[in-house]
């Protein structure tokens, strides 16, 4: 039987033994992913076929083999669904990014049948597995007990009721609300630090002409997405952490964070937010190849210097194309990386130089428009060798006035709401007509 009384899960991501139950094991992770995948395939199939159908023979044998390998290795098997994740023997199961929707489906089906998890201390048999799968058949309406359905009892497998598990987790959350907040914030800071470290190494590899494979960062981006859904305040607060000497590294991580929160406000799905954050994390990588004295130069740039700066997005695109394979995702990364530097429209000014209206130039992608706004806001609010940082209100006012043609005005208004800043109300009329300098 699953020990739900002593179960303690503080956060659905992480590997620290003290906080998250047990250390990461790649061997156990591989078996765990096979277990979750096998259960998903069987429970999905039982909606269409009778469990006695021959189509189940091979999948049941494969699942039996995985479960018995886990029991042989661990001496037990306890699989529990907590929030949006599974835990196997108190270890978070990290599924592949392409399998997240399958995991969500499996968790939903289990909870619909009040199944919170399973436990075994002895090797499982195919008849036991088949009786467990019967719980999810479309004809089945009765709730399963700890030992399964009436007439289809489980011998070596026990079922944990999701309703009891949920009560236990809710009690823990209510009893320790401050601990929950601390754990979430601490984990958010850890993921941020990991992203900064990875990006530092990546930019070094770009400067050496041998870019690392960026797919290693997908797990970090997915963690960012999960954190943004749980605690947006902690998430946005991290974007104030900046070191001038490592501007480009922190800038790209901050733009990734803000883009994810912004995209969430716009109603993007988790999969879309992952793609958006992934692109944003490397949107300015080509700038790492620009000489430091040029990137931080005071005053106007010469035509030759401007040409060098304008090559940076092309270097970012070249790095994307150097990675193995070419897919629809690759094309989206290439197009967005290029488009985010393009102005949204052409400014029509009056006799005094004030912008009266914006004429859209082209149909830019929504990812590019989101990144353009976040990119500029973080750049303006960062201290640079040639100027001090602008305050958030001043930065947004500059974006709303002098730089207005660069952004989709509707998205910019949403961004102001996301950042909880209303510059028109904060600044005086005189300040609202200020000009942009020192960029």
């Amino acid at each position: 039987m699953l020990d739900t009384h002593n179960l303690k899960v503080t956060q659905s991501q992480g590997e620290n033994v003290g906080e998250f139950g047990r250390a990461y094991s790649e061997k156990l992770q591989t078996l765990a992913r096979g277990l979750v995948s096998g259960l998903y395939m069987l429970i999905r199939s039982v909606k269409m076929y009778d469990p006695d159908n021959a189509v189940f023979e091979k999948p049941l044998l494969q699942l039996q083999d995985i479960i018995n390998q886990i029991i042989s290795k661990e001496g037990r098997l306890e699989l529990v669904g907590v929030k949006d994740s599974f835990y196997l023997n108190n270890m978070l199961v990290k599924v592949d990014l392409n399998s997240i929707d399958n995991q969500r489906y499996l968790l939903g089906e289990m909870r619909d049948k009040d199944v919170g998890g399973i436990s075994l201390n002895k090797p499982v048999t195919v008849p036991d597995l088949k009786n467990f799968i019967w719980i999810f058949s479309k004809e089945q309406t009765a709730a399963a007990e700890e030992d399964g359905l009436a007439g289809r009892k489980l011998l070596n497998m026990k079922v944990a009721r999701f309703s009891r598990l949920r009560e236990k987790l809710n009690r823990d959350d209510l009893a320790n609300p401050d601990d929950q907040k601390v754990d979430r914030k601490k984990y958010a800071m850890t993921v941020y630090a990991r992203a900064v470290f990875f990006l530092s190494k990546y930019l070094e590899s770009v400067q050496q002409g041998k870019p690392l494979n960026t797919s290693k960062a997908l797990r970090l981006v997915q963690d960012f997405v999960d954190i943004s859904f749980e605690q947006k305040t902690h998430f946005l607060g991290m974007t104030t952490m900046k070191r001038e000497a490592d501007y480009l590294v922190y800038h790209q991580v901050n733009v990734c964070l803000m883009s994810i929160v912004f995209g969430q406000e716009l109603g993007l799905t988790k999969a879309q937010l992952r793609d958006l954050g992934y692109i944003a994390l490397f949107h300015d990588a080509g700038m790492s190849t620009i000489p430091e004295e040029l990137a931080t130069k005071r005053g106007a740039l010469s035509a030759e210097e401007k040409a060098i700066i304008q090559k940076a997005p092309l270097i970012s695109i070249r790095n994307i194309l150097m990675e193995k394979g070419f897919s629809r995702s690759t094309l989206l990364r290439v197009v967005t990386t290029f488009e985010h530097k393009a102005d949204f429209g052409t400014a029509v000014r009056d006799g005094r130089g004030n912008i009266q209206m914006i004429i859209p130039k082209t149909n830019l992608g929504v990812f590019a428009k989101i990144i353009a706004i976040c990119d500029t806001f973080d750049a303006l609010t960062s201290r640079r060798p040639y100027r001090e940082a602008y305050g958030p209100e001043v930065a947004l006012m500059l974006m709303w006035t002098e730089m207005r043609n660069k952004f989709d005005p509707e998205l910019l208004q949403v961004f102001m709401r996301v950042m909880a800043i209303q510059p028109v109300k904060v600044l005086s009329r005189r300040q609202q007509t200020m000009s942009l300098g020192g960029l």
Side-chain angles (χ1 to χ4, degrees):
M1 178 179 179
L2 283 177
D3 186 6
T4 58
H5 179 73
N6 293 320
L7 178 67
K8 180 174 178 61
V9 180
T10 56
Q11 178 73 5
S12 62
Q13 304 93 0
E15 301 161 11
N16 183 286
V17 179
E19 292 179 27
F20 305 109
R22 65 172 291 172
Y24 180 92
S25 164
E26 185 56 44
K27 173 64 175 177
L28 189 58
Q29 280 288 325
T30 301
L31 291 171
R33 285 191 288 268
L35 172 60
V36 172
S37 176
L39 286 172
Y40 162 75
M41 292 176 62
L42 288 167
I43 290 177
R44 184 189 64 177
S45 298
V46 83
K47 303 298 180 182
M48 299 179 284
Y49 306 103
D50 187 290
D52 292 322
N53 191 297
V55 73
F56 285 91
E57 290 181 6
K58 186 176 179 179
L60 283 170
L61 286 171
Q62 291 174 335
L63 185 61
Q64 178 193 31
D65 180 59
I66 291 171
I67 289 175
N68 289 342
Q69 282 190 61
I70 294 171
I71 294 174
S72 175
K73 176 180 173 61
E74 297 278 305
R76 66 190 178 93
L77 183 154
E78 292 184 355
L79 182 71
V80 185
V82 181
K83 297 184 179 178
D84 295 326
S85 304
F86 280 106
Y87 286 78
L88 176 63
N89 293 353
N90 294 331
M91 182 188 69
L92 172 68
V93 179
K94 293 191 173 183
V95 298
D96 298 331
L97 291 171
N98 293 331
S99 303
I100 289 176
D101 288 340
N102 296 350
Q103 177 174 274
R104 187 178 297 115
Y105 172 87
L106 177 58
L107 284 165
E109 289 296 320
M110 290 174 61
R111 289 164 184 173
D112 284 346
K113 297 295 184 178
D114 198 25
V115 175
I118 57 174
S119 66
L120 302 94
N121 292 312
K122 298 178 181 179
V124 73
T125 63
V126 168
D128 245 13
L129 286 176
K130 188 180 292 186
N131 286 341
F132 176 72
I133 298 302
W134 267 107
I135 296 173
F136 305 93
S137 66
K138 58 184 178 181
E139 294 86 6
Q140 185 60 46
T141 57
E145 297 298 329
E146 181 182 287
D147 57 353
L149 298 169
R152 299 185 183 277
K153 295 299 183 181
L154 304 174
L155 299 179
N156 294 337
M157 180 185 294
K158 299 297 180 184
V159 175
R161 301 290 291 272
F162 172 65
S163 53
R164 295 177 184 173
L165 175 63
R166 181 171 54 190
E167 288 174 6
K168 165 61 180 170
L169 293 174
N170 287 341
R171 285 198 302 271
D172 285 349
D173 286 347
L174 290 173
N176 303 291
D178 293 335
D179 290 345
Q180 294 290 324
K181 292 176 182 177
V182 170
D183 286 341
R184 292 188 182 107
K185 187 171 183 178
K186 185 175 181 180
Y187 187 71
M189 296 282 285
T190 300
V191 176
Y192 184 92
R194 288 177 181 172
V196 167
F197 177 79
F198 178 84
L199 205 60
S200 297
K201 295 299 181 183
Y202 176 76
L203 294 184
E204 288 177 7
S205 71
V206 170
Q207 291 168 344
Q208 296 166 1
K210 298 178 180 179
L212 296 172
N213 190 330
T214 59
S215 64
K216 295 179 180 179
L218 277 169
R219 180 68 253 176
L220 291 170
V221 175
Q222 185 61 52
D223 285 346
F224 280 150
V225 172
D226 293 338
I227 294 169
S228 75
F229 271 78
E230 293 182 4
Q231 189 54 263
K232 183 172 73 175
T233 304
H234 292 160
F235 205 50
L236 286 176
M238 290 188 294
T239 63
T240 62
M241 297 187 295
K242 304 172 184 179
R243 286 172 52 187
E244 186 179 347
D246 300 315
Y247 165 74
L248 189 59
V249 172
Y250 283 85
H251 170 66
Q252 293 193 111
V253 175
N254 291 340
V255 171
C256 172
L257 300 184
M258 283 189 282
S259 295
I260 289 171
V261 174
F262 190 7
Q264 181 187 346
E265 186 74 13
L266 294 172
L268 299 184
T269 65
K270 281 193 172 184
Q272 290 170 326
L273 292 174
R274 181 195 66 221
D275 292 341
L276 171 61
Y278 184 37
I279 298 170
L281 188 60
F282 302 97
H283 75 282
D284 258 353
M287 283 296 294
S288 64
T289 64
I290 304 300
E292 181 68 17
E293 61 272 14
L294 178 55
T296 59
K297 180 181 176 181
R298 296 173 180 268
L301 300 176
S302 67
E304 182 180 349
E305 290 170 334
K306 287 181 179 179
I308 294 175
I309 295 290
Q310 289 168 355
K311 287 181 181 178
L314 300 180
I315 295 172
S316 299
I317 291 171
R318 182 199 65 186
N319 294 339
I320 295 172
L321 296 175
M322 286 174 66
E323 296 180 11
K324 293 181 180 179
F326 189 90
S327 62
R328 183 177 177 277
S329 175
T330 307
L331 180 60
L332 179 61
R333 291 171 63 196
V334 168
V335 172
T336 303
T337 300
F338 180 78
E339 284 188 344
H340 92 275
K341 291 294 186 182
D343 291 347
F344 173 77
T346 302
V348 178
R349 300 177 182 271
D350 60 19
R352 292 181 293 181
N354 297 321
I355 297 177
Q356 294 300 299
M357 63 180 295
I358 304 296
I359 302 176
K361 286 183 177 180
T362 185
N363 187 24
L364 299 175
V366 66
F367 281 10
K369 292 190 285 189
I370 289 172
I371 293 173
I373 291 173
C374 298
D375 181 23
T376 303
F377 179 78
D378 187 74
L380 289 172
T381 55
S382 299
R383 187 177 184 275
R384 306 297 289 125
Y386 46 82
R387 64 160 170 80
E388 292 297 321
Y390 291 103
E393 297 87 358
V394 176
L396 281 177
M397 182 49 58
L398 289 170
M399 293 169 68
W400 186 252
T401 54
E402 295 300 313
M403 306 174 71
R404 188 175 171 186
N405 64 299
K406 295 180 177 294
F407 316 108
D408 183 323
E410 293 183 0
L411 291 187
L412 185 55
Q413 286 183 317
V414 176
F415 182 74
M416 292 176 180
R417 185 170 69 247
V418 171
M419 303 303 290
I421 299 170
Q422 295 293 335
V424 175
K425 295 180 180 179
V426 173
L427 301 183
S428 67
R429 184 172 298 277
R430 181 181 63 81
Q431 289 174 309
Q432 290 174 26
T433 60
M434 68 194 303
S435 61
L436 181 64
L439 287 180

